[in-house]
Amino acid sequence: MQYERLSDFAEKCPYLLFDFPLYTKVKINTSAETTEDMEILDYNEDDTPNIVRHIHFLENKDVRYLKILATQEKNFYYYCPFCKRKLQIIHKGYKLENELSESLLTTYSYMFSMSDEFEEYDEEAAKVSIKRFEEFTEQLFDENKVLKINLECTSKDKHKLYVIFQLTEDNYLIKVGQYPSILDFDNSLKEYRQVLKDKSVTKELTNAEILKTHNMGVGAFLYLRRIFEKLILEQFEQAKLANDIDVQVFNDASTEDKVKILHEKGYAPTYMAEINPFIYSILSKGVHRLSEKECNLHYDTLKESILLILEEKVAMARKEKLKKLTKNELNKIHTKLSSKSVKLVKEVAATEKIKEL
Ligand SMILES: [Zn+2]
């Protein structure tokens, strides 16, 4: 999803506050919007209705969302980096000195056809919209056009979190700071570290994230490509250890074929094999041909794919461990039962001997 204007975050408030990259411009469009409805005034003698049509001029949805974002009390279930778990996080919402103006700017009504008057309403709505936006932002932002949003987690420690926004002259909102950092909110890597032999993989994922938070998508893509290559190598090492692969054939193969070979032998996570035909070529295209903007736009999906491969690796490792464990236990049970039956045979033989005597 592309986030270019403030209302794009309407359903994604925590993402804007905690995960959205710093220094990325988000437009606040201040031009008025319109909605239409109609009303039946009365009926003529022949039962035809007399209809009046209304055109309502409203504040732009970006402005309406800024009001909600800043002034309404909110709580969302999210990860607290201090508690290291998910819980409710609250933003109390700013109480402004002057009451918030309503979103309706003006309404133009007509019965048969629009008159020139409409133009006047249109111009008036545009003016009122800008004036109200200025009044609102003057109250909300400080003299440097900076807004700090304070949040609190609901644990007994009430951890404090905050986000700082800057409003530009041309009405862009830019996140210029946050505490804890974007990386602190990303807790997705811990469990993967345990199953990865190559510990640099999680470090490189963190590097990719850092680059992404600064909108350097091409660099972030390069790290993702390295990670994908390293994951293939890890699976290859397993196959090599089990003496289950032709090293020369593997080394000579293209990246796509390498995954195919590993998958056929049961060494590649299924998801890795499924996305194999396109993930590597997308990552390579990103490194060589795509713009920073395109790489930034697609980064989250590609990172998610890498995380899914890692998740499958975690599941595979867990399964292997469980297999080994149950095999050992079965062996023990088998040995115990066998020795018991040998003892029983010996006992029976001894009894038979006594009988013979
Ligand atoms: Zn907390």
Side-chain angles (χ1 to χ4, degrees), residues 79-85 87-89 152-161:
Y79 178 77
C80 170
F82 300 108
C83 296
K84 300 204 181 315
R85 66 186 169 96
L87 75 173
Q88 295 291 336
I89 291 178
E152 203 174 88
C153 90
T154 47
S155 73
K156 65 175 179 14
D157 298 314
K158 295 185 179 224
H159 296 120
K160 305 271 185 281
L161 315 103

